[in-house]
Amino acid sequence: MSNAPEAAPTKDDAAAAAPSQPCGRGRDLNQYKGRLKPIWCTGCGIFGVLNALMRSLCELDIDPENLAVVSGIGCSSRLPGFVKCYGYHGAHGRALPTAIGVKLGNPRLTVIAAGGDGDGLSIGIGHFPHAARRNLDLTYILIDNRIYGLTKGQTSPTTVEGYETKTSPTGVIEPPLNPVELAIVYGATFVARGYSAKVKDLQNLIMEAIRHKGFSFVQVISPCVTFGKGSGFDYFGPRIKPMPEDHDAGDRHAALHLVSDTDTLLAGIFYRQDRPEYVARLQARGGARGRELDASDPKIDTESLITRFS
Amino acid sequence: MSNAPEAAPTKDDAAAAAPSQPCGRGRDLNQYKGRLKPIWCTGCGIFGVLNALMRSLCELDIDPENLAVVSGIGCSSRLPGFVKCYGYHGAHGRALPTAIGVKLGNPRLTVIAAGGDGDGLSIGIGHFPHAARRNLDLTYILIDNRIYGLTKGQTSPTTVEGYETKTSPTGVIEPPLNPVELAIVYGATFVARGYSAKVKDLQNLIMEAIRHKGFSFVQVISPCVTFGKGSGFDYFGPRIKPMPEDHDAGDRHAALHLVSDTDTLLAGIFYRQDRPEYVARLQARGGARGRELDASDPKIDTESLITRFS
Amino acid sequence: MDVTDFVMGISGDAGEGVILTGDLITQVAARSNLHISSTQTFPAEIRGGQSYVQIRLGIDSIFNPGDRLDVLVAFNRLAYHRYKPTIASDGILIIDGDPETIDMASTFGDWRGGPIYVIPMGEIAAKDVGVKRAKNMVGLGAVTALLGFAPEHGEELVHRFFAKRGEALVEPNVAGYRAGREYVAKKVTKRDHLTIPKVSGEGYLVLSGNDAIALGALYAGCRFFSGYPITPASEIMQLLAEELPRVGGTMYQAEDEIASIAAAQGASYAGVRAMTATSGPGLSLMSELLGLSGIAEIPMVVVDVQRGGPSTGLPTKTEQSDLLSAMYGGHGEFPRVVMAPISIRDCFQVMRSAFEVAEIYQVPVIVLSEQGLGHRRATLPKALLKQTPIEKVTRPQRSWGPTYNRFEITESGISPRAMPGDPGGTHLITGLEHWDFGGPAHNLENRTEMVQKRFRKLRNLDRRYGGVFAFKGEDATQHLHATTDEEAGRLSAAAESFRGQIGVIGWGATAGVVREAVARAEKRGIDTAAIFPRMIFPHNDLTIRPFIQGHQKIIVVEENFTGQYARVLMHYYDFEPERLNKYDGLPFKPEEVLRKIEEVASHV
Amino acid sequence: MDVTDFVMGISGDAGEGVILTGDLITQVAARSNLHISSTQTFPAEIRGGQSYVQIRLGIDSIFNPGDRLDVLVAFNRLAYHRYKPTIASDGILIIDGDPETIDMASTFGDWRGGPIYVIPMGEIAAKDVGVKRAKNMVGLGAVTALLGFAPEHGEELVHRFFAKRGEALVEPNVAGYRAGREYVAKKVTKRDHLTIPKVSGEGYLVLSGNDAIALGALYAGCRFFSGYPITPASEIMQLLAEELPRVGGTMYQAEDEIASIAAAQGASYAGVRAMTATSGPGLSLMSELLGLSGIAEIPMVVVDVQRGGPSTGLPTKTEQSDLLSAMYGGHGEFPRVVMAPISIRDCFQVMRSAFEVAEIYQVPVIVLSEQGLGHRRATLPKALLKQTPIEKVTRPQRSWGPTYNRFEITESGISPRAMPGDPGGTHLITGLEHWDFGGPAHNLENRTEMVQKRFRKLRNLDRRYGGVFAFKGEDATQHLHATTDEEAGRLSAAAESFRGQIGVIGWGATAGVVREAVARAEKRGIDTAAIFPRMIFPHNDLTIRPFIQGHQKIIVVEENFTGQYARVLMHYYDFEPERLNKYDGLPFKPEEVLRKIEEVASHV
Ligand SMILES: Cc1ncc(C[n+]2csc(CCOP(=O)(O)OP(=O)(O)O)c2C)c(N)n1
Ligand SMILES: Cc1ncc(C[n+]2csc(CCOP(=O)(O)OP(=O)(O)O)c2C)c(N)n1
Ligand code: SF4
Ligand code: SF4
Ligand SMILES: [Mg+2]
Ligand SMILES: [Mg+2]
């Protein structure tokens, strides 16, 4: 039995009792509920992301026991606790290298990294290019509310110019980073943008991302209703536009062209590419067996080591 | 007097005695020689960078006493010791944030950051986007030898696929990063590529970069003759091509187009943009006076503080 | 009830505006010339949970928010239940509810305190004001009226607060405040003696520890701050974001803590007093570059507002668990200084010492505050901001001769420092070991000499920076207020002569609580004294040794598990201190320390 | 001359191939069944400077590269001048030059050693071989011939080495080797008694400390390594880059040290024994995430091959200055274990203990090696690789019941660990304080219990991991060779009973030198013993206390300035140890330790 008191608001015994929500191939959405209840502010965009993610997992019939969700620190990084999975709520900014380790440690897992714009594009941005170009088969969901939510409203790398925050009292003077553009240039092989208010569309993107064999990136525009004053759902609603039908996601230049227009925020798949996946390439060279190493696996060739060192 | 023994090979008393090399407006190149003699391997590409840099400084008539050269750790990061200046050979990967601090600490200085591909694109890459988008008036010279030189030949973020190094004994499986492309996407307002074997051209680029009011970036292809086996001057020589005459450096998409061709390495100015400089913007709001604060400068308004806190 | 010193708790749901109510009460009190010490408990989670503010009010200086409640203000029934156990025997309850319909007997059957005032705060807000969310302002009005505060301060403060948030908010909230006061005036007959004393004066400042650190830095000539947001340190950065540009300075929000310290080092190198502030995780990330400041002799001030560790730990709670990490974190060996302010006033003052030591000795200085201090508020005289001298911030250019060597080996260990822009001063600094002129050096003798030179700086550190705050008997109060390094030095000397039964040693924010416990112990006849070194590292042997030798039993009080400072002391002295440790995230209460003193005294 | 144990120095310019020559001589010796201990001095700069290899050869196990030179091989005149002061009185000089034309009297007038052999290495290479750069191979041939090594080992090794570099290089270098041997055979008449003893056997392995750590990890079941290159640790990574994929494992070069430890934590969480290796600057950067391993209970092994600090410091030199940082670095408090291998063999062995402790107790384990150990080479029996059991690397799936709580509070402090893929084991881990089931918790009682639970793991650490290596008199040799934790445990017990005049305490790589100094002191009639705890933290009081109490004087030997381990010991015991410290980047020599022992003994 747990040491958490019966009344602990954190422990969700409701999951079992919740009304069934059939989805996927005979699954129930409730199977994907974690032991914790979300603690986000009422109306926070991240609820939509959680919802879309759970539906994606269910629809794709992903076994929670073979699922790892890895995050950093931030409101959005609380996600792993609310999904039934092997959840890893690590350190601020380190979701990607950790997720890579998890994947290499057990390549059979579905691995999802998630986190905020501060987590991923400020302290953690140094890991992004290297994760993307390596092209491991994992999905990175960047939950972009253009603000530091958890620490109560400081400037983030996606806060737009002129916006006033606690650390930019007279308005931000840096142009924001464009996560989708970065992902493409970094070598991500699947790059999309979704909006947390459009759960169904977002679910479709996340499903595509998970299905994609390689490093998939989904930027989710997800308003912070508490500290994102002036950039809530009202603000984003009219700005989010669907991807032009004729966009060829295989065309890198076209994708870069589309994304450089920052006035309208296109939602959809910007770019996808077929490129050999990293773990598979390592495995082709004998390595990266991870936890699945067993009796039939390669043994240390002691003789060749002895020859080498004598 | 110094405690360094007379015979210390590190101390360059030759500078004074060297034959004069007039340059710029009545200056002499020897005025830009630091107290140390370069310790690079014979034939190393970095000599060309040093040479071009010193000539640029001389030609631009930059006073060594108002010049700060900041670097990280690596063969290339040894640069500041060989230039007469206020030199800052800091920690691995941290040249950019340090240079920003120096500039903000004394905005009248000419500030140059320099370092290797490992320093700048591996451990230090997290700082690059944020330095670039802020657009402080400083120049970042990335000395790219596609290898870790100082630590004796491990894979770097620009090592090409298939290349064998000490840490990729069966060949690199990651596609390399493209520094020029990154700089453009990050928001650098001057982006160029040079080649350390073409000192005169490189000098022109560096001069333009220093003259540029904003964050200027110069990638210098600079072979490592000791650990860059197979990618020495022989390799690069035929691949380096001049920028097409008709390239419009004001056209971001054209620049991204040109740089995405990684078979030929175009040398020249890819991109330049006029965008308000960071320090100037801060100063317009009263801040960023740095060391130049003096008697005529703003005083603490104690009364308004008292009102604020009571 | 002692109305010259009483404690009030305000409790409610996170959404009910408890924190604001508390802030405004402290400000009303400060304007009414009362001293306060207040502390908040943040809800643990992003949303939901309980908020709580505790305010101690009095006519003398107050150094901690106290323990037993003389007044409990409960914004709802759950809040009442949570805090009723902490009520004093004659404590007052002020609670939201309908006095007409409430069944007092069954509702408050378990109440162990004194008078109860049921005020229909929610109802007044909803019906009379027409804005439900103004409930807390109704509460504020009611509470200030019940305690006898004049109406104008509150109204002005409510006005000012909401005007900043948007004009439309002013009217309903002021109306709420007024309605609360009117209700009390019309409907409540006071049944107790708790009414605030009338004191005259010019009012006080209300500062949190974080405010005081930011302002202290400003007055100490700091003109560059770089940092990365982190609880519970962000307020330092946020205040400086507003104030630094006003005096020509720069607040630079870096992309992470490594960039923060790197930028501050760059600015410091360039000739500006520079600092960063963070909490534990950031200090860890900065540890590589701390060593660069050590070997390249770049002045640097790093404030660590400690929180519950390790890793993300308990980010909204307090702890004193970064001491050993501040002393020893970072590879290799280099001189550094660790200071810990003991009060909110000292947060202000310690910054001057920190910047002076950093600049004179060209070393990194780590200032250890903690959540319990950073988020606590206290009243301070306006003279603090009016009369404290403001450090000259100009670093004029100097000329250097032809034999200038940046790292010249000197007796004092301090070498002449040229700054960019200085004629004749060009040089190289490097994190590699180097010759005196700056060039990298691997020579064995030079290495040995350079290491010794750098550490000589600590040996020669001016004693006045090593002040120890000393509390004994009735003197405790005034000792806490050493306002200069010189005064602190004198206190050190006093402490050396202390002799007695129980000696308490602590560091940092626990001083306020320990001081009170010492005074209470004294009253109960236990001969007790306490010392708090402000500079923890290097160690102040001269004062601490006689203190330890002069007492029969030593108690080391720390908010951590492993007894970090006790370990440090045990390295210097052959003794087994009694330890009082707490690591649940809450600061000590005076009672807890007193209990330990009594327990130890009973065995001596 | 004692031909069963002699020391050779090889010196030349960085470009002359000194290091390779030394490596090949060690391998020739190992194949000839001689033991060796060798060390290199890297040129300080990227280019230029002097290279130097020192090799001690003998028929018994050797634990340090010695001090006085019995043979000096000089590739040029400058090299001769630099190392001639270290020659033993009857030492031999082998030097490049023209024996026909050289003026022996004026050239070697200041030579204080024995016979001189002038060999025209450069000339033979240039003229006879036709490849100037083969000079070092001529030297190799000449030296091995002079010492009486059979020709075939050398030739084979030269062949193997150059074949890997490109077939074209093989012929001229083999030719150079042969030419060197021929020259000696034809032209040199031996004038001394130094000829290597003939020993039979199957030959030895030659391993550096870094090799041994990498192989030790491989045998201990490590199948994931992530790291970032750094001197002097990179060789661990480089060896594992080749060997791990051969056994299904992964070497992952991360973008920095933070990513390195993060990836290793991820892999460990996923169920693979994982490690990283770095040097001081990397350890500093990892300190935040070490705490995550502590609170989230993720097994982790971090090797720190220490170098001269702080910052970039002296990257190619040795130092023991990261101890306190390993023990205390990183904010907040969490259980961790610090181990220090004392020899190259122990580098291999310590890795098994490190991985076991990390996995069983779910804590981070820091292994402190150093440049002087990592880049030193020694011979070890082939049985080490043939007979050491190889750890099973499978982490089979387990099923967990419905009440599974990852951080269950247990007596031992160890909680049941489910891994991704395990049925029924899904859970959350977090760096926040948490309930037993993993959910974030801010509850006071839970916090207190959880901190205690985590620290209980250390209290309950199996004693056999805490072995202390003990050296006394003639036993020193065998004690150094404890090959299992059990044996080390028995040594601990032995050490407890040691009584005598001088007790030496050290940690890590100085063991080899101290052991020899102790033996020499013993011969001079000074009753001396030494202990080296392999696990430094937690502290092994049981063994160390009686050792300290049992000796009249204790000397703590450390390669650092501040006496870090002495400080730790002084925390536990009331004593003032004598200290022997060195911080110029070079390891101690046995002589230096012996001198200190004699000095202290003369005052006892
Ligand atoms: C090393 C470190 N630095 C700073 C913090 C404080 N911190 C926690 S979350 C956060 C940023 C949150 O912003 P974001 O990643 O955008 O997430 P959000 O809360 O907006 O979802 C910061 C700065 C930390 N936990 N660790
Ligand atoms: C924190 C830290 N990690 C690792 C190192 C080791 N190191 C020194 S230079 C370097 C990389 C050198 O490569 P690059 O930056 O490309 O410079 P180059 O030598 O090729 O010019 C590394 C990994 C270090 N000094 N500090
Ligand atoms: S603070 Fe913002 S991002 Fe965080 S939970 Fe609340 S609304 Fe969401
Ligand atoms: S190692 Fe390579 S990069 Fe470094 S100095 Fe030598 S040639 Fe240049
Ligand atoms: Mg955010
Ligand atoms: Mg490089």
Side-chain angles (χ1 to χ4, degrees), chain A residues 47-72:
Chain A
F47 282 105
V49 187
L50 174 62
N51 200 341
L53 175 62
M54 295 211 305
R55 285 172 192 279
S56 303
L57 296 169
C58 197
E59 208 65 60
L60 291 172
D61 201 30
I62 289 169
D63 178 9
E65 283 153 356
N66 284 305
L67 168 67
V69 183
V70 180
S71 70

Side-chain angles (χ1 to χ4, degrees), chain A residues 76 116-118 143-149 156:
Chain A
S76 34
D117 42 317
I143 303 171
D144 185 0
N145 55 13
R146 302 187 170 185
I147 198 83
Y148 287 3
S156 104

Side-chain angles (χ1 to χ4, degrees), chain B residues 1-5 8 10-11 35-36 64-69 73 78 80-81 84-92 94 97-106 109 123 126-128 130-131 134 136 278 282 285-295 297-310, chain C residues 27 31 160 204-207 211 215 218-219 223-224 239 242-243 245-250 252-253 255-256 258-259 262-263 265-267 269-272 288-289 292 298 382 385-386 390 393-397 403-405 409 418-432 435-437 439-440 446 450:
Chain B
M1 288 296 350
S2 163
N3 69 337
T10 42
K11 188 115 181 243
R35 274 169 98 169
L36 297 170
E65 283 154 356
N66 284 305
L67 168 67
V69 183
I73 300 293
R78 286 298 195 94
K84 187 174 174 76
C85 67
Y86 281 89
Y88 192 121
H89 178 236
H92 191 38
R94 315 306 171 194
T98 310
I100 289 173
V102 172
K103 185 75 186 174
L104 290 167
N106 185 346
L109 302 177
I123 192 169
H127 308 302
F128 191 4
H130 297 288
R134 287 184 170 119
L136 282 87
Y278 187 80
L282 290 180
R285 294 169 190 217
R289 306 282 293 270
R291 191 189 174 188
E292 306 303 329
L293 284 165
D294 60 37
D297 274 293
K299 293 272 167 294
I300 295 178
D301 180 353
T302 53
E303 280 312 318
S304 89
L305 284 180
I306 289 170
T307 310
R308 173 174 190 157
F309 289 102
S310 56
Chain C
Q27 284 173 293
R31 291 189 174 197
R160 183 173 82 173
Y204 295 112
L205 302 168
V206 179
L207 295 182
D211 294 335
L215 295 177
L218 215 57
Y219 275 64
R223 290 297 174 268
F224 185 88
L239 181 50
E242 295 184 33
E243 298 301 336
R246 299 205 169 115
V247 291
T250 308
Y252 178 76
Q253 180 177 337
E255 53 274 18
D256 61 19
I258 299 177
Q265 287 176 324
Y269 173 75
V272 175
E288 186 202 1
L289 286 184
L292 178 64
I298 309 164
K382 290 184 175 169
L385 297 185
K386 227 178 300 184
I390 297 166
V393 296
T394 316
R395 302 279 170 272
Q397 291 207 336
T403 59
Y404 174 66
N405 291 313
I409 296 201
M419 296 169 191
D422 282 359
T426 61
H427 64 270
L428 176 72
I429 66 165
T430 168
L432 285 164
W435 298 112
D436 54 4
F437 76 90
N446 176 74
M450 274 293 168

Side-chain angles (χ1 to χ4, degrees), chain C residues 277-392:
Chain C
T278 185
S279 188
L283 184 69
S284 292
L285 288 171
M286 291 177 187
S287 60
E288 186 202 1
L289 286 184
L290 274 182
L292 178 64
S293 260
I295 193 169
E297 311 201 30
I298 309 164
M300 179 70 344
V301 174
V302 177
V303 172
D304 171 11
V305 186
Q306 298 164 95
R307 63 191 215 184
S311 194
T312 315
L314 286 172
T316 58
K317 306 261 174 189
T318 208
E319 200 164 88
Q320 300 184 309
S321 59
D322 295 348
L323 176 62
L324 290 173
S325 173
M327 285 172 60
Y328 300 126
H331 64 288
E333 299 176 303
F334 55 92
R336 63 179 114 191
V337 171
V338 180
M339 299 182 176
I342 59 151
S343 64
I344 290 174
R345 177 193 281 260
D346 198 32
C347 282
F348 182 86
Q349 282 154 352
V350 78
M351 295 310 289
R352 182 174 301 255
S353 306
F355 277 102
E356 277 182 25
V357 168
E359 185 162 302
I360 297 173
Y361 299 94
Q362 304 171 22
V363 293
V365 176
I366 300 163
V367 176
L368 290 178
S369 179
E370 59 178 279
Q371 186 273 336
L373 193 53
H375 286 166
R376 206 161 87 193
R377 266 164 228 271
T379 34
L380 289 166
K382 290 184 175 169
L384 187 76
L385 297 185
K386 227 178 300 184
Q387 287 165 20
T388 301
I390 297 166
E391 180 67 21
K392 234 171 96 275

Side-chain angles (χ1 to χ4, degrees), chain D residues 77-275:
Chain D
R77 214 65 70 79
L78 194 70
Y80 159 72
H81 284 295
R82 185 174 288 225
Y83 287 94
K84 66 177 192 244
T86 58
I87 199 76
S89 58
D90 52 355
I92 296 163
L93 174 67
I94 304 173
I95 187 166
D96 179 41
D98 186 346
E100 316 280 300
T101 63
I102 198 162
D103 174 352
M104 295 294 284
S106 75
T107 313
F108 302 112
D110 53 359
W111 174 245
R112 299 284 157 263
I116 299 179
Y117 302 92
V118 179
I119 315 274
M121 306 176 194
E123 208 182 290
I124 295 172
K127 296 214 180 123
D128 302 358
V129 183
V131 177
K132 266 191 187 171
R133 298 201 55 188
K135 172 173 153 187
N136 59 339
M137 291 301 105
V138 177
L140 177 71
V143 171
T144 52
L146 278 168
L147 294 177
F149 282 107
E152 65 277 10
H153 292 318
E155 183 153 337
E156 214 181 294
L157 287 161
V158 173
H159 199 287
R160 183 173 83 173
F161 179 86
F162 286 101
K164 264 195 275 175
R165 299 292 177 289
E167 269 307 319
L169 295 171
V170 175
E171 196 268 310
N173 282 290
V174 168
Y177 172 76
R178 284 190 192 148
R181 292 197 67 100
E182 269 159 36
Y183 179 87
V184 169
K186 286 198 190 128
K187 302 269 175 101
V188 182
T189 332
K190 270 271 258 184
R191 286 162 290 166
D192 67 85
H193 305 292
L194 201 146
T195 301
I196 57 116
K198 300 273 173 275
V199 188
S200 65
E202 50 166 7
Y204 294 112
L205 303 168
V206 179
L207 295 182
S208 71
N210 283 346
D211 293 336
I213 281 179
L215 295 177
L218 214 58
Y219 275 64
C222 171
R223 290 298 174 270
F224 185 88
F225 178 100
S226 48
Y228 186 70
I230 189 165
T231 305
S234 305
E235 293 83 7
I236 298 172
M237 175 178 191
Q238 290 163 194
L239 180 50
L240 289 174
E242 295 183 34
E243 297 301 337
L244 273 174
R246 298 204 171 115
V247 291
T250 309
M251 195 301 277
Y252 178 76
Q253 180 177 338
E255 53 275 17
D256 62 19
E257 286 87 351
I258 298 176
S260 301
I261 186 169
Q265 286 176 326
S268 174
Y269 173 74
V272 175
R273 284 196 171 179
M275 72 178 282

Side-chain angles (χ1 to χ4, degrees), chain A residues 53 57 62-71 80 83-89 98-99 101-103 106 108-114 137-139 210, chain D residues 266 269-270 419-421 426-427:
Chain A
L53 175 62
L57 296 169
I62 289 169
D63 178 9
E65 283 153 356
N66 284 305
L67 168 67
V69 183
V70 180
S71 70
V83 179
K84 188 176 174 75
C85 66
Y86 282 89
Y88 192 121
H89 179 236
T98 310
V102 173
K103 184 75 185 173
N106 185 346
R108 290 194 203 158
L109 302 176
T110 299
V111 179
I112 292 170
D137 183 21
L138 48 87
T139 299
I210 295 176
Chain D
Y269 173 74
M419 295 168 190
T426 60
H427 65 270

